């Protein structure tokens, strides 16, 4: 076989593309791929089409050139259709000068068996088996060979390490230290490509929001962003954004120098479609009916039938994950899957063309209606928190199901029932306004005096109370009570009376609040509903606490705790602990009050309940001031400045407690002085949420003051910390380079930077410093650098 290639052919095939020089972002991804290559001889970059697998592989290969004495070879397989030509194509990238009849695989083995080289197999997905077989043979025969592959699905070789290339980070509201918006890599890429076709283009205050929305709509997929930017030759940014609903028609102006499938967005997704089996394509179309993701149970319930057996769904899901159509995500509640918006729109087009879209949407609606009903059955059961967490993950699907209910004239009652069943989801998930809107919509559409309406009025009344609208709440609760009395709905009446007591307390009518509260407790005892009884006892406890009746307040709060403990319920127990903690603080029992509030806060933090969390933070600030811990009280008050914004306004639903906040702030200002108070409060306000809650819970070391931060030695990067560890182990520069698969000169450069950062002048000083850091923190310097990498570097707004 003649495997001699022309000089120009070899240069074209084995060279690295010029686009590496304009590579945007991916610093962490490149470092992780290098780390994987240091540990494994076969690494495959997977991910959805257009996400940048080839560019990342090219960048890593370019960075590692000096680490491979016998070269880095890029094998571009995108235009190759015949799997039998894979060995020949790889051989053509090598400096092989041999004319023989030997099979190309044997020629490659003979050439590579003693070489230290890196081979990049780019775009393997359509030649998967041939690439896997060749990779396995070459790795077995050449001990110093490493292979970096890119593919929309793994090669499936036993020794393979895979790395899923994510889309570029999307705008998330993060701001820089000076308060200006932090531009993500997706926005930077758009700006760079836009400037190339429209000289002078820049992201400004006037177009920033539209640019960010374009990048988000395109899922942060680099190729899609580049195709969109090209359209600025003819369209404004706003016009481009408006036309993204028809993105497959719009984004068609790719470079003529790239493979055909990268010249339009549709061609890119068509390539993924061609890799799928017919059942996988069918499931792809059906899962496009979901919004925001789904779990396996939902896929089986909604997508099975009419060509897909329920037991086949799991294998089809695995197939779509392997082909980078579905994205697999780990959540505390379990594994979930989602489609990028572009992939989902492609699937929805297929679903609409099949004529089955309306039927699938009804199945989707019915599934989430049943899920909402199940969640409402145990509002005070042991699984309540689990249900609330699950509903939060399903929020986009719940919204889509409700919209489906109200879009059909015959189904508004189903929508009203579902919106009522989701009451606790609206309250705990920061969706008060949305929940109120759905309930208002349903109440306007279904005016019959039914149990459904009575329940909905009561639920909507509670949301109105939290939103500080007592008049609207009263009108709804009065109507709910009238329907309840007419139909003999004792549970509805118990809840309506309880919420009426809450309205009375919000208005300062304590006499009515006590009378209605006592009535609510009695009614809930009679109906035997633990959630209502626990809440009635807690609210009545707060009322008596406000009146200064400590024995009644403590007895009622402890009664609420007993009800919750009997049923294993967490959310109402957290509020009961909050109420008991406030009364114990009033009575001067600082230790028990603090313990109760912190225990309540731990639950609310885990659940993500913003109102419960800020009520705990309020009480902890009051407790700190009472204990004369004024700097801590000031910092907690600062934390509350930002925390209340996430809870729809200060003391929403508990405004009668506002006097405690005012007294705490006044006393703390007087004790510290205005300047010291403002410094501490501002520092608290600047903490990220997790840092703020950890501080409130006395978890770990308190957040340092700004001066303390300035006095810290500079932190090492993750790579520098890794090299410092190896220096401490006594490795030479050559040994470090071999261990990390980097050039020896690169290792020397890193060590020079480490010495400069730490102010040292010898490797011995680095080794001593590493030992000191490891002993002082219980973490290696590398682990500390990893933790530093995970910290956000902009202010969360």
């Amino acid at each position: 076989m003649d495997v001699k290639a022309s000089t120009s052919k070899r240069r074209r095939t084995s060279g690295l593309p010029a686009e590496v020089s304009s590579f945007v972002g991916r610093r962490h991804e490149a470092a992780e791929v290098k780390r994987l290559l240091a540990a494994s001889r076969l690494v495959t970059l997977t991910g959805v089409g257009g996400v940048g697998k080839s560019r990342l592989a090219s960048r890593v290969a370019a960075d590692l050139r000096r680490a491979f004495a016998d070269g880095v070879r890029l094998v571009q397989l995108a235009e190759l259709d015949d799997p039998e030509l894979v060995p020949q194509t790889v051989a053509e990238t090598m400096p092989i000068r041999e004319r023989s009849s030997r099979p190309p695989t044997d020629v490659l083995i003979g050439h590579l068996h003693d070489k230290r080289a890196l081979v990049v197999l780019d775009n393997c997905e359509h030649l998967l088996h041939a690439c896997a077989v060749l990779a396995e043979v070459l790795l077995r025969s050449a001990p110093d060979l490493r292979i970096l592959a890119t593919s929309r699905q793994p090669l499936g070789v036993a020794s393979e390490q895979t790395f899923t290339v994510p889309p570029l980070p999307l705008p998330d509201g993060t701001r820089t230290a000076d308060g200006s918006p932090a531009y993500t890599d997706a926005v930077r890429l758009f700006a760079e490509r836009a400037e190339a076709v429209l000289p002078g283009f820049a992201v400004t205050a006037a177009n920033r929001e539209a640019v960010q929305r374009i990048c988000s709509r395109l899922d942060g997929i680099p190729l899609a962003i580049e195709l969109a930017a090209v359209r600025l030759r003819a369209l404004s940014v706003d016009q481009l954004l408006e036309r993204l609903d028809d993105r497959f028609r719009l984004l068609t102006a790719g470079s003529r120098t790239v493979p055909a499938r990268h010249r339009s967005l549709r061609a890119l997704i068509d390539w993924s479609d061609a890799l799928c089996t017919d059942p996988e394509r069918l499931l792809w179309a059906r899962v496009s009916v979901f919004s925001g993701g789904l779990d396996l149970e939902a896929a089986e319930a909604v997508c099975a039938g009419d060509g897909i057996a329920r037991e086949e769904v799991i294998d089809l899901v695995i197939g779509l994950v392997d082909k980078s159509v579905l994205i697999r995500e780990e959540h505390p509640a379990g594994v979930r899957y989602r489609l990028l918006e572009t992939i989902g729109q492609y699937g929805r087009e297929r679903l609409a063309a099949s004529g089955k879209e309306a039927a699938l949407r009804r199945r989707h609606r019915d599934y989430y209606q049943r899920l909402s009903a199940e969640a409402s059955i145990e509002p005070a059961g042991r699984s309540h928190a689990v249900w609330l967490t699950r509903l939060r993950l399903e929020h986009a699907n719940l919204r889509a199901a409700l919209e489906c209910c109200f879009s059909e004239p015959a189904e508004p009652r189903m929508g009203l029932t579902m919106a009522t069943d989701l009451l606790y989801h609206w309250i705990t998930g920061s969706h008060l306004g949305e929940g109120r809107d759905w309930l208002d919509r349903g109440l306007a559409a279904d005016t019959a005096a039914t149990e459904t309406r009575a329940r909905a009025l009561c639920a909507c009344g509670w949301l109105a109370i939290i939103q500080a609208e007592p008049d609207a709440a009263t009108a709804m609760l009065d109507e709910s009570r009238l329907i309840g009395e007419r139909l003999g709905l004792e549970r509805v009446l118990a809840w309506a009376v309880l919420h009426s007591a809450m309205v009375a307390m919000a208005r300062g009518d304590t006499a009515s609040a006590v009378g209605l509260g006592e009535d609510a407790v009695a009614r809930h005892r009679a109906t035997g509903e633990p959630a209502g009884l626990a809440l009635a006892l807690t609210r009545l406890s707060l009322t008596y606490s406000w009146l200064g009746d400590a024995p009644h307040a403590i007895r009622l709060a402890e009664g609420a705790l007993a009800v919750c403990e009997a049923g294993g319920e967490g959310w109402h127990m957290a509020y009961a602990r909050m109420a008991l903690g406030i009364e114990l603080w009033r009575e001067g029992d600082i230790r028990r009050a603090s313990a109760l509030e912190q225990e309540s806060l731990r639950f609310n933090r885990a659940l993500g309940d913003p109102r419960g969390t800020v009520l705990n933070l309020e009480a902890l600030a009051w407790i700190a001031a009472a204990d004369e811990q004024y700097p801590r009280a000031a910092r907690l008050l600062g934390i509350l400045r930002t925390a209340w914004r996430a809870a729809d306004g200060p003391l929403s639903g508990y405004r009668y407690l506002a006097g405690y906040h005012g007294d705490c702030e006044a006393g703390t200002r007087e004790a510290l002085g205005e300047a010291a108070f403002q410094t501490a409060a501002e520092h608290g306000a600047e903490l990220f949420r997790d840092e703020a809650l950890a501080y409130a819970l006395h978890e770990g070391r308190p957040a340092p003051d700004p001066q303390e931060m300035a006095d810290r030695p500079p932190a090492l990067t993750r790579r520098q910390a890794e090299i410092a560890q190896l220096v401490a182990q006594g490795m030479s520069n050559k040994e470090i380079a071999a261990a990390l698969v980097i050039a020896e000169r690169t290792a020397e450069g890193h060590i020079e930077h480490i010495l400069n950062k730490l102010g040292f002048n010898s490797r011995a000083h680095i080794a001593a410093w590493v030992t000191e850091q490891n002993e002082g923190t219980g973490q290696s310097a590398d682990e500390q650098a990893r933790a530093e990498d995970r910290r956000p570097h902009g202010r969360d707004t």
Side-chain angles (χ1 to χ4, degrees):
M1 183 204 81
D2 186 358
V3 295
K4 180 180 178 181
S6 69
T7 303
S8 60
K9 176 76 172 287
R10 183 177 304 116
R11 188 160 49 238
R12 183 175 65 253
T13 310
S14 62
L16 299 173
E19 66 191 12
V20 173
S21 64
S22 61
F23 197 86
V24 174
R26 300 299 198 194
R27 180 171 62 88
H28 290 294
E29 289 89 342
E32 180 63 16
V33 174
K34 292 174 191 176
R35 188 190 69 78
L36 290 173
L37 273 172
S40 175
R41 296 176 58 216
L42 171 60
V43 176
T44 301
L45 308 185
T46 64
V48 67
V51 80
K53 301 181 292 295
S54 297
R55 291 188 184 185
L56 180 58
S58 296
R59 173 175 175 170
V60 169
D63 290 349
L64 294 179
R65 278 176 182 242
R66 292 178 179 176
F68 292 94
D70 297 300
V72 174
R73 300 291 160 179
L74 174 62
V75 186
Q76 295 175 334
L77 300 172
E79 302 298 326
L80 185 66
D81 295 323
D82 189 345
E84 293 186 2
L85 293 180
V86 169
Q88 167 75 25
T89 304
V90 175
E92 288 175 354
T93 70
M94 304 289 172
I96 299 173
R97 299 185 178 277
E98 175 178 324
R99 295 178 183 272
S100 74
S101 60
R102 289 197 300 160
T105 299
D106 292 346
V107 173
L108 282 169
I109 291 171
H111 175 71
L112 292 171
H113 77 281
D114 61 348
K115 299 292 192 296
R116 179 175 175 79
L118 172 65
V119 174
V120 180
L121 299 178
D122 191 27
N123 294 291
C124 299
E125 57 270 355
H126 60 304
L127 303 163
L128 210 60
H129 179 70
C131 291
V133 170
L134 180 63
E136 199 162 31
V137 169
L138 293 180
L139 291 172
R140 189 165 55 242
S141 306
D144 289 327
L145 174 69
R146 277 176 166 75
I147 295 176
L148 177 60
T150 75
S151 175
R152 298 193 191 187
Q153 64 185 111
L155 300 187
V157 176
S159 59
E160 178 183 30
Q161 287 275 354
T162 61
F163 176 80
T164 301
V165 181
L168 293 174
L170 296 172
D172 61 359
T174 299
R175 293 183 177 268
T176 60
D178 64 2
S180 59
Y183 291 125
T184 63
D185 289 338
V187 173
R188 289 192 188 94
L189 177 63
F190 183 91
E192 179 184 294
R193 297 301 188 262
E195 203 276 336
V197 300
L198 193 67
F201 176 87
V203 178
T204 65
N207 65 20
R208 179 186 301 124
E209 183 179 356
V211 170
Q212 291 177 335
R213 289 179 62 192
I214 288 169
C215 294
S216 296
R217 291 286 306 279
L218 295 174
D219 306 301
I221 298 175
L223 180 61
I225 291 172
E226 292 176 1
L227 291 171
V230 169
R231 285 304 187 189
L232 293 183
R233 288 192 181 111
L235 301 174
S236 71
V237 172
D238 289 330
Q239 289 172 326
L240 176 60
L241 176 61
E242 290 170 2
R243 286 161 174 78
L244 281 184
D245 285 340
D246 194 13
R247 66 189 68 188
F248 293 119
R249 184 184 299 274
L250 178 69
L251 305 184
T252 58
S255 169
R256 295 184 180 89
T257 65
V258 300
R261 70 174 190 280
H262 280 188
R263 294 175 194 166
S264 75
L265 192 60
R266 182 175 294 283
L268 182 73
I269 310 304
D270 282 342
W271 183 264
S272 288
D273 182 76
L275 299 174
C276 296
T277 64
D278 287 340
E280 287 171 344
R281 293 188 191 99
L282 185 56
L283 184 67
W284 178 352
R286 291 181 181 180
V287 297
S288 70
V289 78
F290 290 89
S291 301
L294 68 155
D295 56 22
L296 184 59
E297 177 188 312
E300 291 172 336
V302 176
C303 301
D306 194 18
I308 299 178
R310 189 181 184 94
E311 59 271 17
E312 292 176 331
V313 171
I314 185 170
D315 290 330
L316 296 177
V317 166
I318 291 170
L320 291 177
V321 170
D322 283 345
K323 293 176 175 66
S324 301
V325 174
L326 275 177
I327 297 175
R328 180 187 185 276
E329 296 178 328
E330 291 279 355
H331 290 272
V335 174
R336 290 179 63 79
Y337 309 94
R338 70 179 174 92
L339 295 168
L340 294 178
E341 184 178 343
T342 299
I343 303 294
Q345 183 171 329
Y346 188 95
R348 286 190 291 276
E349 286 187 4
R350 290 291 182 88
L351 184 61
S354 72
K356 302 291 181 66
E357 183 178 13
L360 259 292
R361 292 203 177 280
R362 285 192 292 271
R363 285 162 65 174
H364 175 276
R365 175 202 65 194
D366 293 346
Y367 174 76
Y368 284 102
Q369 189 274 329
R370 291 194 301 270
L371 193 74
S372 303
E374 289 177 37
S376 72
I377 291 172
E378 268 195 275
R382 296 181 186 277
S383 59
H384 186 213
V386 175
W387 272 111
L388 291 174
T389 301
R390 183 176 180 184
L391 293 177
R392 192 163 297 158
L393 290 172
E394 298 287 8
H395 181 71
N397 282 310
L398 297 170
R399 179 185 289 158
L402 283 163
E403 187 59 53
C404 185
C405 289
F406 289 117
S407 65
E408 298 186 17
E411 301 295 350
R413 186 165 298 175
M414 177 186 285
L416 186 57
T417 299
M418 184 175 172
T420 304
D421 287 340
L422 292 171
L423 174 61
Y424 281 85
H425 172 63
W426 307 133
I427 291 174
T428 64
S430 297
H431 303 300
L432 292 175
E434 182 176 350
R436 180 95 177 267
D437 288 344
W438 288 118
L439 286 163
D440 284 341
R441 187 171 173 181
L443 288 166
D446 184 4
T447 59
T450 61
E451 180 178 357
T452 297
R453 182 172 181 82
R455 289 181 62 237
L457 286 164
C458 201
C460 200
W462 191 358
L463 297 183
I465 294 167
I466 298 173
Q467 293 179 311
E469 296 184 26
D471 293 341
T474 298
M476 288 184 279
L477 294 172
D478 286 348
E479 185 182 349
S480 178
R481 290 174 72 175
L482 285 173
I483 297 173
E485 289 166 354
R486 188 183 309 152
L487 300 180
L489 306 174
E490 293 302 325
R491 287 196 173 191
V492 169
L493 288 169
W495 280 101
V497 170
L498 169 56
H499 296 327
S500 297
M502 293 160 62
V503 171
M505 193 61 193
R507 286 173 166 164
D509 184 357
T510 53
S512 295
V514 169
L516 289 166
E518 296 283 6
D519 187 18
V521 168
R523 287 177 179 272
H524 279 292
R525 287 194 192 280
T527 62
E529 190 174 7
L533 179 57
L535 182 59
L537 290 167
T538 298
R539 286 290 187 161
L540 189 56
S541 170
L542 287 168
T543 301
Y544 277 114
S545 176
W546 177 253
L547 292 171
D549 189 339
H552 266 94
I554 292 172
R555 178 178 59 79
L556 290 163
E558 289 177 341
L561 287 174
V563 170
C564 294
E565 287 168 356
E569 200 280 330
W571 187 68
H572 286 292
M573 180 179 285
Y575 278 77
R577 284 176 174 146
M578 177 273 296
L580 182 56
I582 288 175
E583 182 53 35
L584 292 175
W585 157 71
R586 284 170 50 86
E587 292 298 299
D589 192 342
I590 299 300
R591 184 184 61 79
R592 283 187 64 203
S594 180
L596 283 164
E597 295 299 340
Q598 290 187 355
E599 200 169 353
S600 176
L601 177 57
R602 289 187 186 94
F603 180 89
N604 285 323
R605 174 178 64 174
L607 184 63
D609 177 4
R611 272 159 297 283
T613 296
V614 291
L615 284 167
N616 296 138
L617 290 172
E618 282 282 0
L620 287 169
W622 309 339
I623 290 167
D627 201 29
E628 298 183 354
Q629 298 180 41
Y630 295 114
R632 175 175 169 80
R635 189 174 291 187
L636 288 169
L637 289 168
I639 290 169
L640 282 160
R641 290 178 182 176
T642 51
W644 271 120
R645 286 201 294 270
D648 294 336
L651 292 167
S652 55
Y654 297 85
R655 292 180 186 272
Y656 54 91
L657 300 178
Y660 296 147
H661 179 102
D663 292 345
C664 173
E665 183 167 333
T668 303
R669 282 179 186 274
E670 183 179 355
L672 292 177
E674 185 63 26
F677 174 83
Q678 287 296 345
T679 298
E682 287 170 9
H683 187 50
E686 290 171 356
L687 293 177
F688 292 98
R689 177 181 180 276
D690 289 346
E691 293 174 326
L693 298 185
Y695 175 76
L697 292 167
H698 294 288
E699 291 176 350
R701 183 173 176 271
D705 291 325
Q707 183 58 47
E708 184 181 346
M709 291 292 289
D711 292 341
R712 282 184 177 179
L716 299 184
T717 67
R718 182 170 167 182
R719 177 62 94 184
Q720 289 169 351
E722 192 174 17
I723 290 174
Q725 289 287 332
L726 299 180
V727 169
Q729 294 171 23
M731 284 192 179
S732 66
N733 289 351
K734 185 174 183 180
E735 289 170 331
I736 291 171
L740 299 181
V741 197
I742 59 176
E744 186 173 347
R745 188 176 300 176
T746 302
E748 291 172 359
H750 279 306
I751 292 170
E752 188 66 29
H753 285 124
I754 294 168
L755 291 169
N756 289 336
K757 269 191 177 183
L758 300 178
F760 297 153
N761 55 25
S762 74
R763 297 166 73 96
H765 289 153
I766 294 176
W769 178 83
V770 168
T771 301
E772 179 182 333
Q773 293 296 305
N774 293 349
E775 290 175 352
T777 66
Q779 290 182 308
S780 70
D782 184 34
E783 290 171 328
Q784 294 171 53
R786 287 171 189 254
E788 182 65 24
D789 279 349
R790 290 192 293 269
R791 285 175 56 85
H793 296 287
R795 184 175 169 187
D796 189 1
T797 58

